[in-house]
């Protein structure tokens, strides 16, 4: 890592670097993109923001680091803004919470174009709007590489849904998609390599230079760039009596294992219920891989994985993908352990 | 900036690097240092934390970047933890809020010793205890340099105190110290240079190698490493009817100018009330500088600067340092503008 602004856009006369804007100018240009909202009693610009509140506060923080969590050549500033907001709000939804606000700390190289920060702000603002939350504040610092830290706040309609409440006999259900983000990442990696990634690619494969123009494949790439967690499913699950919930940030098997470990149960997933969709099958054919791997181990889709008592009518958006068995913290597929990779880990 | 772990401690057999601990091991070793508390309904370890709440939430975020906001050779991990918590909680207090919780995102080089993260956690935990708050959660990522982002939450006893409410006739008051952090920084810079910093140092100066062993000077260095904001003065000021408040993170003149600009008034500070203390005078004699510069432009002390109606009895901890005049956003000292540096700016 060189500490430069990566391979993204360069500053120019019409787009001065953040260092030329100065701290106040940079903050002003970013804050101008945030509309506020009724829950924001005091918005950005003072020592702290003040949010309306009347009960418990759900709060979580998550960081994206250039070169580790995103690449400038693959993701625009807008994409990084959406992703920062989405992965933080998904944690709120995974507690059964409704997102209410986001704060963002930016550490940026001095030579980064000012437009990058504004693009990021637009992505943050749009995803806040989609989640029904406000941008409440932030901070800017200079650093060798881009580090974007979001902190999300939310409210609860009832008790929070932990990872630890699943019991034998519960059904395992999923809201949202699993696999598209990993498939999109693999397509970007293949396209940026400039050629088919392996000798195993079938001869009828879509040419690599067409990967990003095929509409189905382009949607998968977009799913990697801008995940779309099913936020409303979180509070709905809580109200329906979900016993445990998590978002699939690190892959279905790995996140299911977290519920299994916290609850002291085994989750048995159904291979049939996890059959890859036509989009994943198409992408896997291009790349010569097994699309089920994306479904089982692909991270960053931020779907909601929840357990419900068997008598509960599942809330809209959830579908059954397995059942909870007595036993010691395992995850099975059709009753058997699944060998191989189990998702993403930092470090 | 090289992206290395700086000049701090190196990993060894008894202190493996964070990469060897793995994400889960690193998180576990850090979270073990946080005791929880009655307001923390769900602590670290799930998708998000849940805090008890019954009214508006004050929230602020602030980042420390290695090489910009701290140096490993001058500040221990513990010091960085204290400083992260302190500068975030000071923003809560500056709104009239009581700190309730802190979240911290860590971006760390893979080769950093694991003990650094644990030392940081101890500093965070101790400053949380001093402020009456809990550590509610966090996140770890890999990065080229250390980036520590804190997000503080707080509660309000009444209306928040903004920067914009000061009126002509108000008194200007200060709780806490201004100058020691900047003096401590200057002493560290001089000591690390290995000799007296300028030719202007008088011949009776304390030898540079004694700077850090003289108890008065060592206290100033500690004030730089571990600021001690007067948190309880914030809610007290709000209850007493403060019309405007800010914490002195960037220097007294610069932060006073923010109140002046936001309120559309002029703040006239008293030179007499800002007479440097004996500790600053002693340090200034060593370094051959004017200690008043530290008082007026030194940042990072996180004192609370507030305006009160003239009829108000000042709450404990505050002392009068000036008055508010009608006029357009100026800061004066004894009625005259003060030339020269006006504090710290990022970028």
């Amino acid at each position: 890592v060189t500490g430069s602004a990566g391979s993204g856009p360069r500053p120019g006369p019409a787009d001065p670097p953040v260092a030329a804007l100065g701290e106040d100018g940079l903050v002003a240009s970013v804050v101008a993109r945030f509309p506020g909202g009724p829950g924001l009693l005091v918005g950005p610009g003072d020592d702290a923001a003040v949010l309306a509140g009347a009960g418990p506060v759900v709060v979580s923080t998550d960081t994206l680091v250039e070169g580790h969590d995103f690449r400038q050549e693959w993701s625009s500033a807008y994409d990084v803004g959406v992703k920062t907001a989405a992965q933080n709000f998904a944690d709120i939804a995974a507690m059964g919470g409704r997102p209410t606000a986001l704060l963002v700390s930016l550490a940026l190289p001095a030579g980064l174009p000012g437009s990058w920060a504004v693009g990021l702000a637009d992505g943050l603002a749009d995803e806040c709007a989609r989640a029904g939350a406000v941008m409440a504040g932030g901070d800017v610092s200079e650093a060798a590489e881009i580090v974007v830290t979001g902190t999300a706040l939310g409210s609860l309609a009832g008790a929070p849904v932990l990872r630890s409440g699943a019991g034998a006999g519960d059904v395992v259900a999923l809201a949202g998609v699993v696999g598209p983000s990993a498939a999109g990442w693999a397509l970007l990696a293949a396209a940026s390599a400039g050629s088919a990634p392996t000798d195993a690619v079938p001869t009828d494969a879509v040419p690599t230079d067409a990967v990003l123009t095929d509409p189905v494949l382009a949607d998968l790439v977009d799913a990697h760039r801008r995940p779309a967690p099913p936020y409303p499913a979180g509070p709905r699950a809580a109200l329906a009596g979900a016993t445990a919930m998590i978002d699939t940030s690190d892959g279905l098997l790995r996140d299911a294992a977290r519920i299994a470990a916290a609850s002291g149960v085994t989750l048995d997933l159904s291979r049939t219920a996890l059959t890859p969709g036509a989009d994943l099958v198409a992408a896997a054919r291009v790349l010569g891989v097994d699309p089920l791997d994306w479904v089982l181990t692909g991270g960053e889709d931020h779907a909601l994985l929840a357990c419900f008592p068997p008598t509960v009518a599942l809330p809209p958006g959830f579908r059954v993908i397995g059942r909870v068995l007595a036993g010691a913290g395992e995850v099975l597929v059709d009753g058997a352990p699944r060998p191989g990779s189990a998702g993403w880990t930092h470090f």
Side-chain angles (χ1 to χ4, degrees), chain A:
Chain A
V1 176
T2 62
S4 80
S7 60
R10 299 291 172 198
D15 186 9
V18 293
L21 292 172
E23 183 178 0
D24 291 345
L26 178 61
V27 169
S29 66
V30 167
V31 167
R33 321 301 279 198
F34 303 136
L40 189 61
L41 305 182
V42 177
D46 216 293
D47 295 289
V50 181
L51 302 162
V57 178
V58 191
V59 61
S60 184
T61 186
D62 220 347
T63 292
L64 278 79
V65 180
E66 180 185 5
H68 295 271
D69 300 296
F70 67 91
R71 302 184 188 192
Q72 280 207 64
E73 63 269 38
W74 291 2
S75 295
S76 69
Y78 182 90
D79 296 338
V80 175
V82 169
K83 197 169 182 173
T84 299
Q87 70 182 37
N88 276 285
F89 288 146
D91 283 325
I92 301 301
M95 298 300 283
R98 189 179 66 76
T100 54
L102 187 72
L103 292 92
V104 174
S105 260
L106 303 178
L108 303 176
L112 192 74
S115 61
W116 198 93
V118 174
L120 181 91
D122 285 339
L124 292 168
D126 283 0
E127 192 63 14
C128 280
R130 201 175 79 81
V134 294
M135 273 299 303
D139 179 50
V140 294
S141 301
E142 187 180 340
E145 63 194 343
I146 302 173
V147 180
V148 183
T149 298
T151 302
L153 285 81
S155 60
L156 285 174
V161 183
L162 308 185
R163 298 175 180 177
S164 54
D170 286 355
V171 299
V172 180
L174 187 74
V177 295
V178 285
S181 179
W185 185 92
L187 289 166
L188 283 166
S192 78
S195 64
T198 73
D199 295 338
V201 175
T203 51
D204 63 343
V206 176
T208 302
D209 59 359
V211 163
L212 304 186
T213 55
D214 177 277
V216 170
L217 303 186
D219 280 354
L220 293 173
V221 169
D222 283 349
H224 173 71
R225 289 176 167 148
R226 297 184 299 278
Y231 305 124
R236 276 186 212 136
L239 291 172
T243 55
M245 188 154 53
I246 194 171
D247 75 301
T248 61
S249 50
D250 296 332
L252 181 59
L253 290 184
R254 185 155 186 243
D255 290 313
R258 289 176 167 143
I259 286 182
S263 297
V265 295
T266 286
L267 270 60
D268 186 18
L269 307 183
S270 157
R271 169 69 183 76
T272 305
L274 298 174
T275 299
D279 53 349
L280 297 183
V281 171
R285 192 184 309 120
V286 171
L287 300 177
V289 299
D290 180 354
L292 185 62
D293 286 338
W294 290 329
V295 171
L296 292 177
T297 67
E300 298 199 329
D301 291 302
H302 303 289
L304 292 175
L305 177 69
C307 300
F308 295 89
T311 54
V312 159
L314 289 189
F318 280 95
R319 60 189 187 281
V320 174
I321 64 162
R323 58 193 177 134
V324 179
L325 309 177
E330 267 190 300
V331 177
L332 311 174
V333 178
D334 284 351
R338 167 109 187 160
S341 166
W344 170 258
T345 177
H346 295 275
F347 292 110

